[in-house]
Amino acid sequence: MKRLLPPKHLLCLVFLLGWAGSSLAQDLYFPGASARGEAILAHPDGAVIVAGQIRTDPDRPWQLAIWRLDTSGQLIDQQLYGDSLQDGANCAILTRDGGYLVAGNGFAATEGIGREDIKLYKFNPLHELEWIQIHGKEFMDVPFAVKELADG
């Protein structure tokens, strides 16, 4: 039996489920790039947010990537962040203000605390970056979950 593998540049296969149990699958391709999705959110405005990382050129570092899809699964836009040796997303949550928080890690080239630090990216309800915070200790720090506390 011949095993079928996904195309080399497949980022992820996103399944959008409708009210009646219908589903739509959308492949995200980035020819010439290495990319992967790590977290998926259903935004209140109907968009689907996929957070992950992408490397568009072998000579460039990995960047944190935010891909926004419409309700039919088509790519609306892509935002890339990070200028260090490597940045990427690990998890994400919706926030009470209608925005979202993406937690990732990366090697902080100029302002880091340790070898690899946690980076928090806060986006407002209009999908605009509000702030980035860097946290960590002496060695590698990686976020696996994030939660918004009562005080915001």
Side-chain angles (χ1 to χ4, degrees), residues 11 28 30 35-41 43 47-54 63-69 75-82 87-93 100-104 119-124 126-129:
L11 165 65
L28 298 179
F30 297 94
R36 71 174 185 235
E38 295 287 345
I40 300 175
L41 297 174
H43 193 271
V48 175
I49 308 300
V50 179
Q53 63 184 23
I54 190 168
Q63 293 180 291
L64 179 129
I66 305 294
W67 296 283
R68 190 164 48 122
L69 309 175
L75 184 65
I76 297 171
D77 66 20
Q78 145 179 291
Q79 299 175 42
L80 303 178
Y81 301 95
D87 286 285
N90 296 73
C91 50
I93 60 165
Y100 48 99
L101 182 70
V102 176
K119 292 184 178 182
L120 301 174
Y121 299 79
K122 173 63 174 85
F123 296 87
N124 67 22
L126 300 175
H127 307 281
E128 300 165 333
L129 181 66

Side-chain angles (χ1 to χ4, degrees), residues 5 14-15 25 45 49 89 95 97 103 109 118 145:
L5 297 174
V14 178
F15 288 96
D45 69 4
I49 308 300
T95 54
D97 66 358
I118 293 172

Side-chain angles (χ1 to χ4, degrees), residues 4-142:
L4 298 177
L5 297 174
K8 181 179 179 187
H9 304 295
L10 175 66
L11 165 65
C12 62
L13 181 63
V14 178
F15 288 96
L16 305 176
L17 299 177
W19 284 98
S22 62
S23 66
L24 165 74
Q26 175 63 43
D27 297 345
L28 298 179
Y29 292 97
F30 297 94
S34 297
R36 71 174 185 235
E38 295 287 345
I40 300 175
L41 297 174
H43 193 271
D45 69 4
V48 175
I49 308 300
V50 179
Q53 63 184 23
I54 190 168
R55 186 175 193 172
T56 56
D57 182 317
D59 296 326
R60 295 193 43 104
W62 287 90
Q63 293 180 291
L64 179 129
I66 305 294
W67 296 283
R68 190 164 48 122
L69 309 175
D70 64 18
T71 55
S72 67
Q74 298 302 308
L75 184 65
I76 297 171
D77 66 20
Q78 145 179 291
Q79 299 175 42
L80 303 178
Y81 301 95
D83 60 356
S84 66
L85 299 174
Q86 175 176 326
D87 286 285
N90 296 73
C91 50
I93 60 165
L94 295 173
T95 54
R96 283 188 296 277
D97 66 358
Y100 48 99
L101 182 70
V102 176
N105 63 317
F107 291 94
T110 56
E111 54 185 281
I113 299 164
R115 182 175 151 241
E116 188 170 359
D117 297 315
I118 293 172
K119 292 184 178 182
L120 301 174
Y121 299 79
K122 173 63 174 85
F123 296 87
N124 67 22
L126 300 175
H127 307 281
E128 300 165 333
L129 181 66
E130 286 186 354
W131 50 258
I132 299 172
Q133 291 183 4
I134 299 174
H135 301 275
K137 296 284 185 184
E138 183 179 344
F139 298 104
M140 184 173 165
D141 299 292
V142 180

